[in-house]
Amino acid sequence: MMATPPLAPHVALARRLNLPLAVLFGLGVTIGAGIYVLIGATAGRAGMHAPIAFLLAALVMAPTAAVFAEFATRLPVSAGEAAYVEVGFGSKVLAIAVGAMVIAVGVISAAAIGHGSAGYIRTFIDLPTNLIILTVVVAMGAVAAWGILQSVAIAGLMTLIEIGGLLTIIIAGVLHSPDLVTRLPEMWTGLTSLPVLTGTISATLLAFFAFIGFETLANVAEEVRVPQRTLPRAIFITLVTSTVFYVLVTWIALVAVPSHELAAAPAPLSLVFERVTGASPAAISMIAIVATINGIIAQIVMASRVVYGLADRKLLPSSLAHIAPQTQTPLPATAVVVAAILVLAIVFPIESLAETSARLTLMIFAVVNAALVQLKRTGGNLPAAHFTVPIAIPIIGCLLCVALLLGSLFG
């Protein structure tokens, strides 16, 4: 009689991310996906009111960030939003739907960032856009498959570089434009006009896309050290830091470059850098390339972890829950995500991708907020949280998400 072969040992995700690395990861996906790619489109819709659009997007995000912080301390799992909704409403069907939307957001966001990356890369290399997108996405998929520590370390280094680029623009802009303060009233003048208000709300949807990133931290929870303490801090640091950078850089850009020029530029921050310094935009274009490919890495990591998390909870085929022993990363899930990104990036334009991603994210956030309301109402059986919010916070978060979603659809 043949002996039964021993079962293969269970391979788990490795907990290697401390607070600095978690913050760098969150900032990398947020800033890289936002200011370098969509500042021109946002300025084109809102003009001098674009900084207000970023502030409104941050205000919509704030209550939801607090909700994610509480959920992340109670359920530090890779399935993130899907797990929160399953526990909150006790519905696997709803969890699968939310998980599918989260994966879609990661894939669509990475596809949009791929377009942005190609725009900056083409300032150096005259190659077809689709070829550039293909090369960049496949290469970043390989980095994401290499290992979480390696992925986040590389992303962290890239984040420091992209923040350095933004700081350079801020400092140069302050020195170049002494009227930054005296022109501040232009930021809010005319907001009571219906056309201006409609344009600003439309721009807020794109600005909201620029803030997508803090929730990515919840989806790497199984790879974070002491997630109950680390994740809430990382979430809030990411949101506040991103808001400050977005408002400052957007205002400097609008004072330095007319909004119609900014909207038409394929590499908008390169144009801003050239105007405020008089120097070649090559350096900032290189930094923008780093920023955008950094965002692609982070979105691939996030989406693949959600695919893995759903498969691990038996909500997707079990083959997608396989962890490679050599890399301790979900290779099948990563491959599926990379393939989906390539298809979307090649077929759809950047603004369409960004708007779709933002609307899906608003829907997800509304449901996650409602899940916490339900848990607080029913007193669900969950582990104690190191961070809690009153029930009013998820109610406000849900209403704000629904309001922005409806405003974007009917505005």
Side-chain angles (χ1 to χ4, degrees), residues 218-261:
N219 290 306
V220 294
E222 290 185 36
E223 294 157 286
V224 174
R225 297 175 187 169
V226 198
Q228 291 80 3
R229 291 202 303 268
T230 302
L231 285 174
R233 297 174 186 175
I235 286 170
F236 287 117
I237 291 171
T238 296
L239 181 59
V240 172
T241 304
S242 299
T243 303
V244 171
F245 273 115
Y246 286 165
V247 171
L248 288 176
V249 172
T250 303
W251 182 241
I252 286 168
L254 288 165
V255 171
V257 181
S259 59
H260 66 276
E261 284 189 53

Side-chain angles (χ1 to χ4, degrees), residues 26 108 135 141 149 157 173 183 190-191 206 211 237 254 259 273 278 297 312 323 327 343 347 358 380 386:
I108 296 169
T135 303
L149 184 59
L157 176 60
R183 292 185 62 182
L191 272 176
L206 287 180
F211 281 99
I237 291 171
L254 288 165
S259 59
F273 180 82
I297 293 175
D312 193 49
I323 301 292
T327 62
V343 171
V347 173
H386 290 252

Side-chain angles (χ1 to χ4, degrees), residues 15-170:
R15 291 195 180 275
R16 293 177 175 171
L17 304 185
N18 56 18
L19 179 61
L21 283 175
V23 170
L24 285 174
F25 180 76
L27 287 175
V29 64
T30 306
I31 293 176
I35 199 74
Y36 282 94
V37 173
L38 288 172
I39 184 173
T42 305
R45 295 187 180 190
M48 300 303 288
H49 306 96
I52 299 293
F54 281 105
L55 282 173
L56 289 174
L59 289 174
V60 172
M61 279 285 197
T64 301
V67 168
F68 269 83
E70 175 167 341
F71 263 131
T73 67
R74 293 186 183 275
L75 290 169
V77 296
S78 289
E81 296 94 323
Y84 306 159
V85 170
E86 183 181 6
V87 170
F89 291 106
S91 170
K92 286 196 173 185
V93 173
L94 188 56
I96 292 172
V98 169
M101 286 195 290
V102 172
I103 296 166
V105 167
V107 169
I108 296 169
S109 297
I113 303 164
H115 274 282
S117 178
Y120 283 104
I121 291 172
R122 290 197 66 190
T123 62
F124 296 99
I125 307 171
D126 188 17
L127 290 174
T129 298
N130 287 344
L131 178 59
I132 294 174
I133 291 172
L134 173 66
T135 303
V136 168
V137 172
V138 170
M140 295 310 102
V143 172
W146 184 14
I148 186 63
L149 184 59
Q150 293 87 345
S151 300
V152 176
I154 292 171
L157 176 60
M158 290 181 177
T159 300
L160 292 176
I161 293 171
E162 67 195 51
I163 288 175
L166 296 181
L167 285 173
T168 301
I169 290 174
I170 291 170

Side-chain angles (χ1 to χ4, degrees), residues 45-46 49 187-202:
R45 295 187 180 190
H49 306 96
M187 192 186 300
W188 53 81
T189 299
L191 272 176
T192 53
S193 163
L194 183 59
V196 172
L197 185 60
T198 300
T200 303
I201 292 173
S202 176

Side-chain angles (χ1 to χ4, degrees), residues 5 13 68 82 94 110 114 126 128 171 178 184 204 216 255 260 266 284 288 292 297-299 332:
L13 298 171
F68 269 83
L94 188 56
D126 188 17
I171 293 168
L184 277 175
T204 300
T216 302
V255 171
H260 66 276
I284 203 69
T292 51
I297 293 175
Q299 291 292 0

